Amino acid sequence: MKAKLPDSESLQDAGRLFGALSDPTRLKLLVALGQGDELCVCDLAHVAGTTISTASHHLRKLRDLGVLKHRNDGRMAYYAIRNRRVAQLASVMFSPAEASR
């Protein structure tokens, strides 16, 4: 059983990811982005019910972990899902079928 465990580096990476996902604002942002296309920071801030500055901070954290990708278009920054597995995890966590269990 021990031989089947992930290596220490993989476990540390997963720990950082789950730590980042422990924040409700980051989860809101991830769920919103998991619904489809890219969104600008201002739209994501509105969805999360926070300021643009706060949303940007949380988005940067998810981007640094490889969960999101971003692009700039002039003064606007747009974010989209990079890691579909993480988006699927968030989607499953908040799906109506899972909530009733």
Side-chain angles (χ1 to χ4, degrees):
M1 189 178 283
K2 188 174 181 179
K4 293 181 181 180
L5 291 175
D7 61 77
S8 292
E9 186 177 337
S10 296
L11 289 169
Q12 293 225 350
D13 289 345
R16 281 189 289 277
L17 175 63
F18 282 108
L21 296 179
S22 69
D23 184 279
T25 300
R26 290 187 195 124
L27 285 172
K28 286 180 190 177
L29 296 169
L30 187 59
V31 170
L33 286 166
Q35 301 298 312
D37 295 331
E38 67 182 12
L39 293 168
C40 70
V41 175
C42 54
D43 288 339
L44 287 162
H46 178 73
V47 167
T50 188
T51 65
I52 291 172
S53 176
T54 299
S56 183
H57 167 78
H58 288 295
L59 291 163
R60 189 176 317 110
K61 177 81 171 175
L62 293 170
R63 185 183 76 207
D64 290 348
L65 289 168
V67 175
L68 301 179
K69 58 186 175 183
H70 87 290
R71 70 177 180 87
N72 292 320
D73 185 9
R75 295 185 63 194
M76 300 291 289
Y78 293 88
Y79 283 84
I81 297 292
R82 170 173 283 171
N83 186 326
R84 283 278 160 210
R85 291 179 123 180
V86 175
Q88 289 169 339
L89 175 64
S91 176
V92 168
M93 288 298 301
F94 299 108
S95 70
E98 293 299 318
S100 64
R101 288 186 182 181

